[in-house]
Amino acid sequence: MQVEVGWNGERKERGMRPHDRANEMLEEAESRLGRGEISRRQFIRLTTAFGVTLAAPGFLAACDVGDDAAETPTATGSADGGEPTGSVRFLSAENFWADWDPYQANALSQFRLNKQIYDYLLDFPTGDLSKPEPMLATSTEQIDERTWEFKLREGVVFHDGAAFTGEDVKASIERASGATDVEVVHAGSWVPTTVEVVDDLTVRLKTERPFGPLFSALFNTQIVSAADLAGKAASLKNQPNGTGPWRLVANEPTRKVMDANMDYWAGPPRIKEMIWEFVQDPQTRLSALQAGQAQAIDRVPPEHLEIIESSDDLMLASVTGIENVNLWWRPGRFELRDTSPEFRKAVAWSIDRAALTENLVLGQSAVADSFVPAGALYYEPQSPAYTFDPDQAKELLTAAGVPDGGPEFELWVASGFLPRAEQVVQSITDSMRQVGLKPKIITTDIAGMVDDIFSDDGTGAMYHISWASSGDPNGALAQLIGPGGVWSDKDKRVHSLLADGAAETDPDRRGQIYSELQQHLWEQTPHIPLYYSDFTIGHTKKLVDLRVLPNQFETYFYPASIQE
Amino acid sequence: MLGQALRRTAQMTLVVFGVVTLVFFVLRLAAGDPARLLNQPGTPETIVQQVRERLGTDRPLLVQYGHYLADLARGDLGVSFHGGQSVRDAVLEALPNTAALALVTIVVASTIALALGIAAALRPNGLVDRSVLVYVAVAQATPAFWLAVVLVLVFSINLRWLPAIDLTGPKSFVLPVATLVITLTPVLIRTVRQSFLETLSEDHVRAARARGLPERRVLLVHGLKAAALPLVTLIGLQAGFILAGSYVVEFVFNWPGIGKLTLDALASRNFPMIQGGVLVAAVAFVLVNFVVDLVYAALDPRIRLRAS
Amino acid sequence: MTQPLLDVRDLRKHFVTRTGRLSRARKVVKAVDGVSFTVGVGETLGLVGESGCGKSTLARTVLFLELPTSGEILFEGGRVTEGEAKRLRRRAQIVFQDPYASLPPRMRIEKILADPLAIHGLADRAAIPERVVQLLRDVGLGDGVARKLPHQLSGGQRQRVGIARALSVQPSLIVADEAVSSLDASVRAQILNLLKDIQERQRLSYLFVSHDLGVVKYMSHRIAVMYLGEIVELAPADPLYERPLHPYTRALLSAVPSLGRDGRGRIRLEGEPPDPGDPPSGCKFHPRCPLAQPICSQTAPELKEWLPGRFAACHFALADIEPKPRPETAT
Amino acid sequence: MSGLATTRADELTAAAAAPPARGRVALRRLGRRKGSIVGIAGLAVVASVAAFAPLISPYEPLAQDITNTLAPPVWAEGGSLEHVLGTDSLGRDVATRLAYGARNSLAISVAAALIGSLLGLITGLVAGFFGGWVDSVLMRLGDMQLAFPFILLAVVILGVIAERTVLHLILVLGVPGWIVYARVVRSRVLAEREKEYVTAARAVGASGPRTLFRYVLPSVWQVIPVIAMLDLGFLVIVESTLSFLGFGLTPPTPSWGSTLAEGRQFLVVSPWLPVLPGLAIMFTVLSINLTADGLADVVDPRLTKGSFRRQMLRLPSRYNRDRGDDQPLLRVRDLAVEFPLGERVVRAVRGISFDLERGQTVGIVGESGSGKSVTALAIIQLLDAPGRVTGGEILLDGQDLTRIDRKAMAALRGRRIGMIFQNPASSLNPVLTIGFQLTETIRTQLRLPQEKAESMARDALLSVGIGNAEHILRRYPFELSGGMNQRVMIAMAMAGRPDLLIADEPTTALDVTTQAQVLEQLRDVTRASDTSLILITHDIALVAEYADAILVMYAGQVCEAGPAETVIRDPKHPYTRALLDSLPRADTPSGARLQAIPGELPDPTIVPRGCPFAPRCPCVLDISWEINPELVEVGPGQTAACHLWTPDEARGAAR
């Protein structure tokens, strides 16, 4: 996931165009990875690029959807009658770093906002990227390895009253994928894709090369009006014009006010007014929820779970996030780690993951058993499940030639970033020290940590951080450990498997590739997977039908309602 | 009088100038490269460089400083690094909220301080005095953030009497103001008590009594007017501080003021926004103290008349 | 006539003050405005005048504790410049009015007395304690005082310490700036006598500054009367008190309440001393002077020797001695 | 927070002024305040916990037990002795964390206060002593720093430091503190620099630095501990606030701030987690502040005095009030006034008696400490606390002023008894116009409407010889000369046409030429309204000229009284005689030698046995050391308290 903040689309030609070859594609993706908005105290996950999903014909057939909007699970709105009522105030843990400039930002906060204002071609109400549901597209069909046809919904209008047509899809996809001559941030998770408008309600997407994670890309690509895209970008920055259930009425730096779109194609939302507001402090968010000044709050930290659970008025919506919180070794900083697999394994055996998830992280967190997060496509649990085994760790350390645990190394943790990160790292170092390892904790904010990771004079050897994704293994891994990724060990096997996975459109073959990759990584242990983190929204019990998904931490208020 | 005004203005400008300069350089020398921080990990140097160009942080420090001052002279505070909103608009939007909070706090705090301070001074070591001093000692030892949290817990969550956060109406003022008042009053009460005690021991108060003036008049006209002077100075300083940084209170109560604005900006290394927030705080500080000087002069003829 | 110990010539000390805390307007206060006098060896020159007349400023300027604006100071025959102030301080000392404020509150008496000796290298380290005891004896204090702090002493004792400090460098001139004004009557006489004794013993010269005419008379051989920065009359003590030449001196003397007099024949001065920052034109005394004539408001009178050894700055210094009393003053 | 920021900036600045007490006196004074004892004890507890943390802590501060997190403290349900104060979210022992936290918090705060005070002391000394541009630059820098929110500066700097150690916090918290100390030190240096001892140091040839360090510094540095103490309390809170905002010590290093900030999120689940460090902070800051208050008291004991509280005398009167028609206007009998000062008592007035007839002027003469002013204040019942009348009676037209209630006494002031004071400028309210104060007085005393009072005010000024009354009424006291102010005071005091006017050293602050004017004015107005006058002065010559009768006081007693002329011409008491002989006068012939009174004035806290003047008396008798002489008649209307005049055997025996 990339973020581009305040970017005005004036970027110069970066000199390198995408090519067919997978490695080059990955390098390109890597080069576009960036422009990321990172800040302390935001719970944004530094998600990587979107996965390459190969959609097989069989799958297509399976998920071919009918025309009838009423059958779709999302199109329930206020169809059962009644005017939208009430107001929902949602307190976000993450600042709104970006503006509304389409495809120029991939801040998590911006995706979550876009979801309320814009519609997408497909919807993934279960969070499973292999199970699309209709949204602006009523059906889809893969024509060949590079060509996809979508039937579009009829009678949809933008907030400004203009009718939705295939031209809008064309403008949107071509812009987002980088096919038109405009450089956008989203292009980093696409391959250039041209769109042929067959008729008003039929479009054909043609990817420049076989592109596995297409659905993952569509998951992130809101459909913007062609007229808007052709006009001045400046107005779109402040006045998003979507087809979604809400329209933006106030655009303040830390507060976004939205009004119900009474003409929404699936029926008007049942909540009249929605306010998204950034509140940095978890205790303040909780207080507001308890005092009835907010109806939903973001990122409930573990220590507050019990308070909400035990409350008569409040409840939790919790999922296991598609992100793995790892201890990431930074290659090139700590020689022992770079050269000794035994040492790496010894570290893996020195951590009590179960205790961490049971006692510290709590919620829906689960012990990590693969480099591909649970909930993502093609996830396969690996063995052995590393546990805290001091004897084995010490044995491995001796094998690595450092029975005393080796030299001191820096372990960085960002405060206010991941839930209870500091405690987790303190606990980890405690157990590491028991086997003789000598981690030295450096606590900083996320900005300082990222600066240290990527600058040449950084000093950290290991970082406690996570990278979230939409749910495709390509996104979870390619830019981290692919060629050019800072976490990459230049392992040729890893690189070629990643390239194959992105370019493969057949799900089974793709599955095999990622299976092999997961096994290989588990064996090499280039980094230390810890757990799949918890994503929990707290809200009043009066708020029903709230959709909380692990993919990009989607929090969708349609067709939720406030009960009296 | 004109010369005096010019002189004061020059002094104030100098102070504000010093403050913004300090912030400018502290941020740029200490806070790292915002372009790097704004970009996702692994971003190629070329892109980072473009961001630097866009933000203007690629230029030599002194050139940046010159541009900053030139913009400032035109009243342009720049645009936010995130989202491109005008810093001036953001600051001007936040300012009234902080000012309202400060104003209410000052009125409440000085009223309480006058009442308690005088009550304590009238009978030194009496029951009232001792109770007030206990309050002063305890209130002074209470961390503001801790107090704020406890107040919210009791009055908003358990009793549900008052809003926990935000500025939504008159009720919203109660808890933030209470927090600030409890942290402010110890100083004010001590000052009032002290200056009242001092005034009461002055010759002219004794002389007023010797002339047979009623005790109430001695206290309220002769004592209070002279005792009010140090309070005015102190309140001025306090007002400056509240305006400049009720950071904790705004943070805890999600109060949309300058303090929260600045803290949020600091968290995201949003230099223009931080600079804007600090600038407003510094200007507020010097202005308030200027006003205090005027009030002081109005109250004290010795200053008013000698100056003219 | 032998060379005087101190010869002050046309000394001026002007202060520039801002008129208000915030204001820029400036005002020049001529605290000492063209003063000349001499002090002979072993002589006491009394300097008398009311508050604000500049007598204390003059005393300090003579010792270069304030830098003169203009004029010359010759001491022991040599011209004193700013750079030679330290040499001057080796030979000329000062005793202050306030025995509470003029001693460093945190220093033991022995230290206070030893410090000047150390500064000027006047005694070996080993000899210092002995010298301190000697100094204390000279001013009538016992050894026990040496270990005490100023606040443990009475006012009289403190002033003795102040005198001992002045004596420590064995000066030839001591400026006594209201040295007994803050002492109670019964103690004041002790100190005055002590000063006289020391003068006899050590052949010191005094510049004795006071507002108290009785005290000045008692101490001084000659007396200078100051009014608004200028010397208006300078004469030996007895004749000055018997027949003052300047109307101001006359008024001053007659204002002093004295035992056995009921105040009849007192000259009542009108008004109050003018603002030294804005003195009247001509003779500075003319607005209050019972003898004032038109010329007084135009021409400032010189300090002239009207009678042998008796100087006065008045156009009509001999008005009541000469046979023509002017009708205006007859009432 | 903001309140405390100001605490640092300003309140502390006001914390100290007068030269502080020293050594044992200081300790004793400190010890007298219960608050400071509690404070010091509290600090001692905290300091020993910090110092002995490794010894008293049952666990290692970083030792975790992830299986036993959030254990409640021993008194709560489920608590156990294993973890007396429970455990935190990592299962660490809270008691241990707090003990070690005390270490870090105190180390940071103490070191920061030290750094701040040291920097401030140096800069303050330099700025104050050398003045000029150095001063300007330093003070403008200080202004900037005050205008710059302290917390923000700390946050900006700490926010970019990856690993915040104790040292970082010490520097960030300590260095900005300089300005507080510097301001105080500077203002004190400025005050000290004006004092004569500094000039004296220069006069004996001391160089600038020598003067600064040997003379000025010792008088200035005492304020530092007081400010540092208050600063310390502030720093403890700031440290915790920074932790709260996320800029405190890098975990897992414990400090109270970080434990509190970590614990804050558990406010509802495990309230003790934030409550305990919060209490520790409060306890410490409270102790610090109490100690600081005590210290400030030692440095500047202003707080305890200065109030006015009259107490009615409850002893029964020994005198019969029904005295018929020969009652004088004022009759003072056996008046005693005491000032309890700690364990000592100043017996300022020890049983004096005198009568004052209507229209008469009595001069009370005495040196400092003789009790003359206290007598005056006792008569008008305006003694400063803790002074109080402890015996005797003051009869005004037969009414005992020491035994009437506050209201009745207030009603007498101004109307029956007026008083004017030594320093006319400070006896008028500096921020109110002459007109306001005069009119207010007239309205109060004569119960007149405003307009009438205003015209009366003009007349009152005219009556004391102020011609341009309209102009003067609009002025403030500071705009007038001393003589003019004193006339205004006389006009005010006389406005109510009192029967008795007390003038306490009315001309001491005035020049000799003005003195004559004012005294004559005073005589004229009192004569005109047949007002009795008590003229209190140290100048016996003044009394000779202006009073009918004279009362010579020494050590709280009357030693001689009688018609002024007689007493001065033929003084009977050795003290009166010596006083007259020791006076240098304009008519003293040159060459004459003054008869000095040997010795010093007596210590007012020590009640002498026998005659108080005995140690200095040239004609002291054996009995003088034993028995305090009574006032006896020594001539027509003349009395003296001296054994020389006691009629019988005592005198004979001595001669």
Side-chain angles (χ1 to χ4, degrees), chain D residues 17 110 122 173 207 226 292 330 420 440 503 560 633:
Chain D
V110 169
I122 294 167
L173 292 178
S207 63
V226 181
L330 179 73
I420 59 176
E440 167 189 55
E560 182 160 6
E633 181 113 16

Side-chain angles (χ1 to χ4, degrees), chain D residues 513-526:
Chain D
T513 50
T514 322
Q515 164 176 302
Q517 295 171 0
V518 168
L519 283 173
E520 278 162 29
Q521 206 74 61
L522 188 60
R523 181 168 57 192
D524 294 349
V525 293
T526 50

Side-chain angles (χ1 to χ4, degrees), chain B residues 10-81:
Chain B
Q11 271 185 7
M12 293 192 303
T13 315
L14 190 74
V15 169
V16 171
F17 174 79
V19 170
V20 296
T21 303
L22 183 65
V23 175
F24 185 93
F25 286 103
V26 164
L27 286 177
R28 274 159 184 79
L29 294 175
D33 180 359
R36 168 70 68 185
L37 299 179
L38 280 173
N39 277 283
Q40 173 115 2
T43 309
E45 192 55 29
T46 51
I47 292 183
V48 177
Q49 185 59 26
Q50 284 164 14
V51 177
R52 286 192 195 109
E53 280 167 26
R54 180 167 66 84
L55 300 177
T57 54
D58 58 323
R59 288 170 288 186
L61 206 54
L62 286 176
V63 175
Q64 291 182 46
Y65 181 58
H67 281 283
Y68 170 64
L69 289 185
D71 287 349
L72 204 58
R74 288 198 308 271
D76 176 3
L77 302 186
V79 293
S80 164
F81 277 0

Side-chain angles (χ1 to χ4, degrees), chain A residues 34-36 89 290 293 454, chain B residues 38-41 43 160 164 166:
Chain A
R35 307 178 288 279
R89 186 162 180 237
Q290 287 178 301
Q293 287 182 277
F454 292 97
Chain B
L38 280 173
N39 277 283
Q40 173 115 2
T43 309
R160 293 216 168 219
D166 298 341

